[in-house]
């Protein structure tokens, strides 16, 4: 098959300005051979077949933080009163329902990710139960196998179990496009010795890991003072909290002490971060992932996006799980931020859902429409007025206007309705 040209009213290359009347050239494996202004592309690739798209082309989306195995909890957990009441309600539901065993809901979650235009994910799991569903829907990225144990003996027992679970899964691991890494849940729910062990293990494997950090005030109160709503919840649940050494340091300081402020650790949330702590995160080069709709659902607050952007950081985006969100659509996260931070250029928001996510996951082959990459190409179709910012227009269109123009791997496929 000869190279083919896709020409559209505009293309969003990622990390640069949108191009009006743009085009991409794809080979049979959907690798981008060229991208730029249609005029230049047509001159350089004369004779190649041309497909015209009414609308905008953008790279496949990157959802840098989700929990697909919790998809069975969609619509079941009430939010709005803070993290500890939310997690308490979720654990109450989990006493009688195991979402990780709800394979139909997991399959639906993975199909939804594909339908929204997702090529890669940072998917947190306790059970590895979503791995095959993600692969079936062409979604790559990193599977973060999560530990949450406060007591050191229990934590190391769990790490040994996780290793056995991974060894068993590795024989039928569905795709090299999904990497595996162990990951600590948070710095207040995992014993520090186990966090160090997880970090060492992911570094030996040469993969990134992740941690939820500075998500809510109860986390800070527990780490600084050893008291508060989290302690009450942990005692009620029977967690072995007395085995956890209260550091009397802030969440970000604890993360720094443990070596988690590092370019190979994705820091998720930072909803409750302070200015001084943000400086430390920025200086560390650690990738940051924001989950704005989940934060609004649980805590009714947002991370300090303007301060982050002013500090030179472009965070990635994630949806978190359907236990705290309406959908797994990462472009809806960008849209939600745009509504609440209207001064932020819309091109920054679309980059957060694509290029920044790819960077956070260490996937430089994704997230941009650029020569040599194989990012998956998505079209958002409709009437784009000449006067309109293509990025703002993309964020305004309903998800049903999206279509896969090119999948990674060369099998062009319609979005399932
Ligand atoms: Zn999460």
């Amino acid at each position: 098959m000869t190279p083919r040209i896709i020409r559209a009213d505009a293309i969003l290359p990622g990390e640069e300005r949108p191009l009006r009347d743009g085009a991409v050239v794809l080979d049979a494996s959907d690798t981008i051979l060229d991208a730029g202004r249609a005029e230049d592309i047509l001159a350089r690739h004369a004779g190649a077949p041309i497909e015209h798209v009414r609308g905008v082309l953008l790279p496949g989306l990157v959802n840098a933080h989700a929990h697909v195995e919790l998809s069975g909890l969609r619509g079941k957990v009430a939010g709005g009163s803070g993290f500890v009441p939310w997690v308490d309600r979720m654990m109450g539901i989990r006493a009688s329902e195991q979402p990780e065993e709800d394979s139909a809901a997991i399959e639906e979650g993975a199909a939804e990710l594909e339908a929204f235009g997702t090529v890669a994910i940072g998917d947190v799991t306790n059970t590895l139960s979503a791995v095959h569903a993600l692969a079936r829907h062409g979604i790559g990225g990193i599977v973060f196998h999560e530990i949450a144990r406060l007591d050191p003996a229990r934590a190391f027992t769990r790490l040994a179990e996780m290793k056995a679970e991974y060894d068993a899964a590795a024989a039928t691991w569905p795709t090299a496009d999904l990497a595996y890494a162990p990951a600590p849940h948070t710095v207040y729910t995992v014993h520090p010795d186990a966090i160090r062990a997880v970090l060492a293990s992911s570094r030996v494997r040469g993969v990134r890991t992740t941690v939820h950090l500075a998500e809510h005030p109860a986390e800070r109160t527990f780490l600084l003072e050893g008291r508060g709503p989290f302690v009450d919840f942990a005692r009620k649940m029977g967690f072995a909290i007395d085995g956890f050494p209260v550091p009397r340091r802030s969440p970000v300081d604890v993360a720094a002490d443990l070596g988690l402020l590092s370019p190979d650790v994705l820091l998720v949330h930072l909803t409750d971060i302070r200015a001084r702590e943000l400086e430390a995160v920025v200086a560390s080069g650690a990738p940051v992932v924001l989950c704005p709709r989940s934060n609004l659902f649980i805590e009714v607050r947002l991370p300090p996006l303007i301060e982050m952007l002013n500090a030179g950081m472009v965070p990635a985006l994630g949806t978190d799980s359907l236990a705290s969100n309406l959908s797994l659509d990462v472009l809806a996260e960008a849209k939600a931020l745009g509504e609440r931070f209207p001064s932020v250029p819309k091109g920054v928001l679309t980059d957060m859902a694509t290029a920044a996510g790819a960077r956070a996951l260490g996937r430089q082959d994704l997230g941009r429409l650029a020569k040599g990459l194989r990012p998956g190409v998505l079209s958002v179709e409709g009437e784009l007025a000449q006067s309109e910012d293509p990025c703002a227009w993309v964020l305004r269109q309903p998800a049903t206007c999206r279509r896969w123009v090119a999948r990674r791997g060369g099998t062009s496929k319609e979005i399932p309705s």
Side-chain angles (χ1 to χ4, degrees):
M1 195 173 132
T2 51
R4 60 190 178 117
I5 297 172
I6 321 284
R7 181 178 188 176
D9 296 322
I11 67 171
L12 309 189
E15 296 181 332
E16 49 184 289
R17 296 177 65 80
L19 291 175
R20 284 275 174 180
D21 192 13
V24 296
V25 185
L26 298 161
D27 72 8
S29 74
D30 285 339
T31 299
I32 295 179
L33 301 176
D34 205 351
R37 292 185 189 287
E39 193 184 350
D40 304 334
I41 294 290
L42 296 180
R44 286 202 288 266
H45 303 271
I50 305 170
E51 179 188 334
H52 287 266
V53 166
R54 300 298 309 165
V56 175
L57 301 182
L58 68 160
L61 307 176
V62 180
N63 186 341
H65 183 80
H67 304 249
V68 176
E69 71 185 7
L70 300 182
S71 296
L73 296 177
R74 186 195 298 255
K76 292 182 181 169
V77 190
S81 47
F83 182 83
V84 171
W86 173 81
V87 78
D88 189 23
R89 285 192 284 272
M90 182 171 76
M91 296 304 269
I93 293 168
R94 289 177 69 139
S96 59
E97 274 186 51
Q98 280 72 51
E100 299 87 350
E101 291 170 17
D102 186 345
S103 53
I106 290 169
E107 177 65 25
E108 197 180 318
E112 186 175 297
L113 282 162
E114 180 187 24
F116 286 132
T118 317
V119 287
I121 193 168
D123 191 41
V124 179
T125 176
N126 288 276
T127 60
L128 305 176
S129 60
V131 173
H132 286 266
L134 291 171
R136 273 196 296 280
H137 290 279
I139 295 160
I142 308 177
V143 171
F144 295 116
H145 200 185
E146 179 180 79
I147 177 171
R149 292 288 187 282
L150 289 150
D151 176 83
R154 293 186 194 196
F156 280 93
T157 301
R158 179 62 194 140
L159 286 179
E161 289 169 3
M162 286 163 60
K163 183 177 182 310
E165 287 164 18
Y166 173 65
D167 288 346
T172 57
W173 199 262
T175 167
D177 204 35
L178 267 176
Y180 168 90
H185 172 234
T186 70
V187 295
Y188 68 96
T189 53
V190 187
H191 192 277
D193 291 347
I195 293 180
R196 287 190 194 91
V198 165
L199 198 51
S201 155
S202 59
R203 285 184 178 150
V204 164
R205 302 180 60 82
V207 289
R208 296 181 176 207
T209 188
T210 190
V211 67
H212 299 85
L213 186 66
E215 183 177 2
H216 55 86
E219 170 183 356
R220 183 178 297 275
T221 305
F222 173 54
L223 289 170
L224 281 172
E225 302 169 30
R227 62 176 189 87
F230 176 71
V231 176
D232 302 339
F233 166 71
R235 293 211 188 285
K236 180 179 123 182
M237 295 300 296
F239 297 160
I241 195 167
D242 296 326
F244 182 85
V246 175
R248 306 206 174 271
R249 307 255 291 151
S250 80
V252 171
D253 287 343
V254 174
D257 295 346
L258 291 168
L260 292 167
L261 297 195
S262 165
D264 59 358
V265 182
L266 284 72
L267 308 178
V268 181
H269 290 308
L270 305 187
T271 321
D272 186 47
I273 197 164
R274 308 276 164 88
R276 174 189 68 81
E277 297 165 349
L278 186 57
E279 278 175 31
V281 169
V282 171
S284 76
V288 167
V289 185
L290 307 183
C291 303
R293 291 190 303 160
S294 175
N295 296 154
L296 287 169
F297 183 90
I298 295 173
E299 289 283 329
V300 200
R301 68 192 281 205
L302 286 168
L305 177 64
I306 304 291
E307 288 79 355
M308 289 175 175
L309 295 172
N310 286 344
M313 171 199 290
V314 180
L317 291 173
T319 56
D320 227 344
S321 82
L322 290 172
S324 61
N325 208 341
L326 297 171
S327 74
L328 300 177
D329 181 9
V330 78
L331 218 44
E333 304 298 325
K335 183 180 179 188
L337 284 178
E339 286 163 356
R340 286 157 185 88
F341 297 99
S343 66
V344 174
K346 302 301 182 280
V348 172
L349 299 171
T350 52
D351 274 359
M352 288 170 71
T354 52
R359 230 180 12 253
L361 292 175
R363 291 293 301 262
Q364 297 300 346
D365 56 324
L366 304 176
R368 290 175 297 128
L369 299 179
K371 190 175 174 178
L373 309 194
R374 198 155 65 98
V377 182
L378 202 60
S379 63
V380 177
E381 300 184 358
E383 285 302 315
L384 170 70
Q386 265 303 327
S387 56
E388 217 161 355
D389 168 10
C391 300
W393 182 84
V394 159
L395 292 178
R396 275 215 322 281
Q397 303 312 302
T400 48
C401 294
R402 294 178 213 163
R403 181 174 68 89
W404 282 110
V405 169
R407 297 304 317 268
R408 304 185 71 245
T411 47
S412 290
K413 192 170 161 187
E414 294 292 313
I415 285 179
S417 54

